[in-house]
Amino acid sequence: MEYVLLPNEIEMYVDTMKAQNMECLGSPQWIEWHQRMQKLNQEALVEASALKEERVKETLVCFGKVPILVHEAILISIWKQKILPQLMKLEPQPETTIVAYSIMYHEAVCVSLLELVLFHPNCCEALDDAASDLLEYSCSNVSQLLVVEYKEQELHEKSEKEISRQKNNLVFEIGMKSLTLVRYISENLDSLPVGVKSKIFGDYDVPILFTEILTKAPWIRGDKIYSGGKWRDWDREQLGQQEAQVWLTIRQLILDPECPKYYSFTDRHRAQLMKLTSMMTPTLLDQLSPLIELKHWLCRLSVMENPSSAPKPLLIETVLDIKESILKQTEGRWKKLAKKQLPHVFPTDRETLHELAGKLCEAYNTELLEKLEAKQDAKCASCGKEAIQRCSRCHQVWYCGRQCQVDHWKEHSTDCSTNNSSVNS
């Protein structure tokens, strides 16, 4: 069995996790921290792919470290907005972008790890107050999908253009993963602070935001579909994982029994939501049968003369503690911080560059990732097509749609019962 970290290494890495400061980004100490986070992410991916005990997730919950992942993602997001532009002014054509890219990639590592572990409700609950920060961060990333497009690498790119492309593509990739994060939050609202539910319906209006995302369909590019972090051939019918996440999020929120308490179905809302009906084709409903209930609800909404418009409950305003603490800590010293980080982010010493390249190459372990990519593409247990849903009982078998799950049930039922019993024991 492939593994990246031993159990005692996982515990040591997680136990020593702590929120980083803006000033240390790019330093040798931070590079070591980045290595550890990358290895934890890879180990979590191995565990999820091999359907074995998810030690990384359990250790993060046990040690109360899940909020640190949120902190790290937000920290890098602010660095990209505030400090990176200052660095590019100081050094418009750096000799190498390896450290700058590693800092930006660190955000994607944290988001990937969150995407893996938040599949489990107890991990969502462990977010606690950080859930509000994660929701704001994720919705901001999702909204970027309305304007950003993935860019291919060009020949003989200059450093400035290379960094711009890398930043752009990471925004796209993180936005795609954020679709899943919002879905997990929406499915666990009852175990999160009450302010999160108010924000997901009010401040960020996720039902309308996700409707706009469906209209844009950023995961489609001609005859290609973005799936599993890559652009793949598309038959123009198969439902992609990202689109499935969006549909399931909308369904979860709209059909939530408490939705009317927080959400007013105004004429504007109704007009926007009605766009969904034309997208709910028989092919889509066949692949994602839970949407049938949503379609029936939308049909009823369309004939209502006065949609429900219940007042929102009075709630205490939720403070974004993580984002506010980072901004307070830096106090707007962006130029000063950029000058301090310049030697680390854009090093010129050849020996230093060689040493950094070796450390990062070891951390990224591309050989292992290539092996995982060959294994992790989920296939339907019945027909072999790309799968988008796990069995809701055992979480170990994948299907492309409801009909395949029904057809395969006779064969799967015994194993499903056994696996479900072992999970609950």
Side-chain angles (χ1 to χ4, degrees), residues 200-201 205-212 250 253-254 263 273:
I200 206 168
F201 284 112
D205 200 346
V206 171
I208 298 302
L209 172 60
F210 273 42
T211 297
E212 293 176 355
I250 294 174
L253 293 175
I254 293 298
Y263 203 61
L273 292 172

Side-chain angles (χ1 to χ4, degrees), residues 88-104:
M88 295 308 298
K89 289 179 181 178
L90 294 171
E91 185 57 75
Q93 294 297 334
E95 291 187 23
T96 178
T97 62
I98 184 172
V99 178
Y101 178 75
S102 296
I103 296 174
M104 293 189 291

Side-chain angles (χ1 to χ4, degrees), residues 29-30 53 125 178 184 223 262 277 279 303 362 407:
Q29 294 77 17
W30 182 87
E53 182 181 359
E125 188 174 354
S178 294
Y184 292 157
D223 59 352
Y262 295 85
T277 56
M279 304 181 204
V303 297
E362 178 189 354
D407 294 343

Side-chain angles (χ1 to χ4, degrees), residues 67-89:
I68 289 182
L69 299 177
V70 182
H71 176 279
E72 293 301 286
I74 294 173
L75 180 73
I76 304 301
S77 177
I78 295 174
W79 181 87
K80 289 191 307 184
Q81 296 172 26
K82 302 294 186 180
I83 295 183
L84 182 58
Q86 298 295 333
L87 285 165
M88 295 308 298
K89 289 179 181 178

Side-chain angles (χ1 to χ4, degrees), residues 372-387:
L372 283 174
E373 282 181 1
K375 295 179 181 179
Q376 71 178 357
D377 291 338
K379 302 296 182 182
C380 176
S382 180
C383 69
K385 292 183 179 179
E386 183 180 356

